[in-house]
Amino acid sequence: LRGTPIKTRNFSMELFATYTKNDNKVLQTPNDAQILIGGYNGMSIVAQEGRPYGEFYAVTNQTENGHVVVDAGDGEPVPTSKAVYLGSYNPKYQASFGGTLKYKSWQLGFLFETKQGGVYYSQTKAYSDFVGTSKETGGNRDAQIWANSVINTGTASQPNYQPNTSAKYVPQDYWTSFEQAGSDVVDASFIKLRSLQLEYALPANLLNRTPFGNASVGVFGNNLFLWTPKANQFVDPEMNSSGSGNEQGFDFAAQPSVRNYGFNIKVTF
């Protein structure tokens, strides 16, 4: 979609936008089995019949109606009995919005891009949690009750979940020994200012005694700003530590994405 909503003698505004959505589903697998695509550190990416391609499965904290289930003895979260579905590395949609604004000899161009939905596994988060440098490991590190947790006062076959009012966990023990791989799957949504350019076209009278027909100078920047959900304070979701194959959505302590700046000089003869 592209258009020019404003155009006058000295000013014009051209805008464009794109939207892409990929709906897919695995129709059949041999014997209805999960097909392993890849995995790392207790995390698996599979093709599961009836679901979109590229699904994350892993053991994570057990929950009941949105409340974390903790052990009545040590207050630590109870892991799920098996690997569970945690989402797909494919976004629900991706889109872009950009434009060019011109005023006399000045020109400003910009481009925003976004991907919404999808998840990825962050080894950076796992490492940061383990050594206690992530934001979520800060604050009170004394023994405490897991916020809004519940305890099973019944049996495994006939559970009875009640609010936890007494069982306390030790944060250092959880982050170093009890955190499950599924807890390191985070939202891969983002909005990024992909590029910004400012250009000035030199007046024609300055070029009369030169061999140039037109000349301009400009500055530009790429990957200038990144907005991510609160759950992702770790890495750029566009990182991928496993190459260009089917195994996507893995951050193996990836390097930070590059923000760059520059200037240019354009001339025509």
Side-chain angles (χ1 to χ4, degrees):
L1 180 65
R2 182 182 294 267
T4 307
I6 301 176
K7 187 172 184 179
T8 65
R9 179 180 177 182
N10 293 321
F11 178 79
S12 67
M13 175 190 293
E14 181 184 28
L15 302 175
F16 64 87
T18 65
Y19 178 86
T20 304
K21 182 177 176 62
N22 183 348
D23 290 323
N24 67 86
K25 182 170 68 173
V26 178
L27 299 179
Q28 187 176 11
T29 58
N31 301 317
D32 298 330
Q34 288 184 345
I35 305 300
L36 182 65
I37 300 172
Y40 180 79
N41 197 30
M43 176 65 57
S44 297
I45 300 178
V46 306
Q48 171 72 49
E49 186 173 318
R51 288 192 177 274
Y53 185 78
E55 306 295 291
F56 281 104
Y57 277 80
V59 172
T60 188
N61 294 339
Q62 182 180 335
T63 61
E64 177 65 22
N65 293 326
H67 299 277
V68 173
V69 180
V70 300
D71 185 272
D74 60 17
E76 299 287 351
V78 176
T80 55
S81 59
K82 61 180 181 179
V84 297
Y85 170 71
L86 297 172
S88 170
Y89 60 61
N90 290 308
K92 293 181 180 179
Y93 70 88
Q94 56 190 76
S96 67
F97 175 72
T100 302
L101 284 69
K102 295 181 179 179
Y103 177 70
K104 294 184 178 180
S105 299
W106 292 92
Q107 179 173 296
L108 176 68
F110 64 92
L111 175 63
F112 289 92
E113 291 184 350
T114 183
K115 289 184 180 180
Q116 295 296 316
V119 296
Y120 75 97
Y121 171 75
S122 176
Q123 188 68 28
T124 300
K125 177 182 181 300
Y127 288 157
S128 300
D129 289 346
F130 181 81
V131 299
T133 58
S134 66
K135 185 176 180 179
E136 62 186 351
T137 64
N140 180 16
R141 295 186 175 183
D142 297 328
Q144 58 193 276
I145 295 175
W146 190 284
N148 299 315
S149 60
V150 295
I151 292 175
N152 181 13
T153 60
T155 64
S157 59
Q158 294 182 316
N160 180 26
Y161 297 103
Q162 298 294 327
N164 174 27
T165 60
S166 59
K168 296 183 179 182
Y169 80 106
V170 178
Q172 180 174 330
D173 292 345
Y174 174 74
W175 298 116
T176 58
S177 303
F178 291 97
E179 185 181 29
Q180 303 298 322
S183 299
D184 297 320
V185 174
V186 297
D187 192 339
S189 302
F190 72 87
I191 300 174
K192 181 176 287 189
L193 177 53
R194 180 72 68 188
S195 63
L196 185 67
Q197 313 93 30
L198 180 63
E199 188 174 296
Y200 176 72
L202 298 179
N205 63 336
L206 295 180
L207 306 175
N208 288 338
R209 297 184 180 181
T210 72
F212 307 129
N214 295 287
S216 64
V217 294
V219 293
F220 65 87
N222 298 316
N223 297 326
L224 296 178
F225 294 100
L226 173 66
W227 296 270
T228 61
K230 184 178 180 180
N232 179 21
Q233 302 178 23
F234 306 99
V235 297
D236 184 343
E238 286 194 298
M239 61 70 238
N240 180 39
S241 299
S242 52
S244 58
N246 291 323
E247 193 177 13
Q248 300 290 308
F250 276 112
D251 153 37
F252 301 154
Q255 295 292 321
S257 55
V258 177
R259 177 186 296 139
N260 55 60
Y261 310 90
F263 69 93
N264 55 53
I265 300 174
K266 301 176 183 178
V267 296
T268 61
F269 296 91

